[in-house]
């Protein structure tokens, strides 16, 4: 097995980039170079997983019609109709551990994309019906689970990416306790 060799960026560039990662939902028509997709996939491949099980297979969809079809399957996946490419994460197992591994992989892919100047967004195939449609479209065997995809492209900066209710975060003090739990009791 090879190991990653590129030097880590300095924290001055890196930490603001981590903090700034947001879901993109509108993209320009500009295609994403295959080389960039390969770099993102290779970084995603190095994601840690429980017992190094790597319970995933990644289906890259560059065809816009196929992405437009995927866009119709989930409740909030419409944005896939405008992506240049999507990475459908196919999980071997649907337990908590695989869900955790999937989240780590998709966040890593999204951060890699951001570093390459790309926008990205999670698309969730939340129902068994939606997952069956994804399986059928992409030829995924019955025993595997396509819960989500990462859509990729160049963000269309002229459009608001999210409704106001989806922006912002809970205050720092509300979600952090130091030393002893001080969050809500119920
Ligand atoms: C498990 C999960 C599923 C998500 N599914 C969708 C989705 O189907 N469609 C979508 O537009 N955004 C989806 N998102 C993105 C969230 O809505 C978004 O991260 C959240 O509203 C915060 O916005 P921000 O990432 O722009 O800061 C999902 C995020 C997660 C973690």
């Amino acid at each position: 097995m090879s190991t990653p060799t590129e030097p880590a960026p300095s924290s001055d560039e890196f930490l603001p980039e981590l903090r700034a990662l947001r879901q993109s939902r509108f993209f320009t028509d500009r295609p994403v170079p295959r080389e960039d997709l390969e770099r993102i996939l290779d970084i995603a491949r190095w994601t840690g997983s429980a017992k190094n099980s790597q319970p995933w297979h990644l289906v890259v969809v560059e065809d816009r019609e196929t992405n437009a079809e995927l866009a119709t399957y989930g409740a909030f996946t419409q944005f896939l109709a405008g992506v240049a490419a999507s990475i459908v994460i196919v999980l071997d197992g649907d337990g908590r551990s695989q869900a955790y591994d999937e989240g780590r992989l998709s966040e890593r892919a999204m951060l890699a994309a951001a570093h390459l100047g790309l926008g990205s967004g999670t698309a969730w195939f939340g129902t068994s019906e939606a997952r069956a449609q994804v399986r059928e479209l992409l030829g995924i065997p019955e025993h595997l689970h396509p819960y989500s995809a990462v859509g990729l492209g160049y963000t269309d900066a002229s459009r608001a990416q999210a409704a106001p209710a989806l922006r912002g975060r809970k205050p720092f003090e509300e979600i952090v306790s130091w030393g002893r739990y001080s969050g809500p009791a119920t």
Side-chain angles (χ1 to χ4, degrees):
M1 274 196 200
S2 58
T3 49
T5 51
E6 286 188 34
S10 79
S11 60
D12 283 355
E13 306 155 25
F14 187 55
L15 296 183
E17 204 169 290
L18 290 184
R19 196 181 194 273
L21 183 69
R22 293 289 174 274
Q23 172 99 359
S24 288
R25 296 189 177 86
F26 297 103
F27 301 87
T28 69
D29 290 339
R30 189 175 156 196
V32 174
R34 176 60 76 91
E35 188 192 342
D36 283 359
L37 291 175
E38 286 174 358
R39 289 189 78 186
I40 293 165
L41 292 160
D42 189 50
I43 287 162
R45 184 171 75 86
W46 276 94
T47 303
S49 56
K51 298 180 187 160
N52 200 20
S53 52
Q54 304 165 69
W56 44 60
H57 186 92
L58 306 175
V59 181
V60 186
V61 179
E62 294 171 280
D63 178 57
R64 286 189 182 265
E65 274 182 30
T66 307
N67 278 317
E69 180 65 21
L70 286 170
T72 66
Y73 295 166
F76 304 103
T77 52
Q78 297 83 354
F79 77 92
L80 287 177
V83 301
S86 67
I87 301 171
V88 178
I89 304 172
V90 181
L91 288 178
D92 189 356
D94 64 350
R96 172 139 167 72
S97 156
Q98 289 84 17
Y100 190 95
D101 295 340
E102 176 186 27
R104 286 194 65 187
L105 182 139
S106 63
E107 183 82 352
R108 199 175 278 216
M110 292 170 77
L111 287 166
H115 197 69
L116 293 168
L118 295 164
S120 64
T122 297
W124 192 249
F125 304 111
T127 64
S128 55
E129 189 198 359
R131 292 190 290 282
Q133 289 175 304
V134 178
R135 277 193 204 96
E136 171 76 20
L137 184 72
L138 302 179
I140 298 165
E142 193 69 31
H143 69 285
L144 301 175
H145 307 277
Y147 273 95
S148 75
V150 176
L152 296 161
Y154 291 92
T155 301
D156 181 349
S158 70
R159 303 190 63 174
Q161 300 298 317
L166 295 180
R167 295 191 202 133
R169 291 295 185 267
K170 292 178 182 175
F172 187 97
E173 296 71 23
E174 190 181 320
I175 61 129
V176 177
S177 300
W178 298 92
R180 196 174 157 78
Y181 180 79
S182 63
T186 54

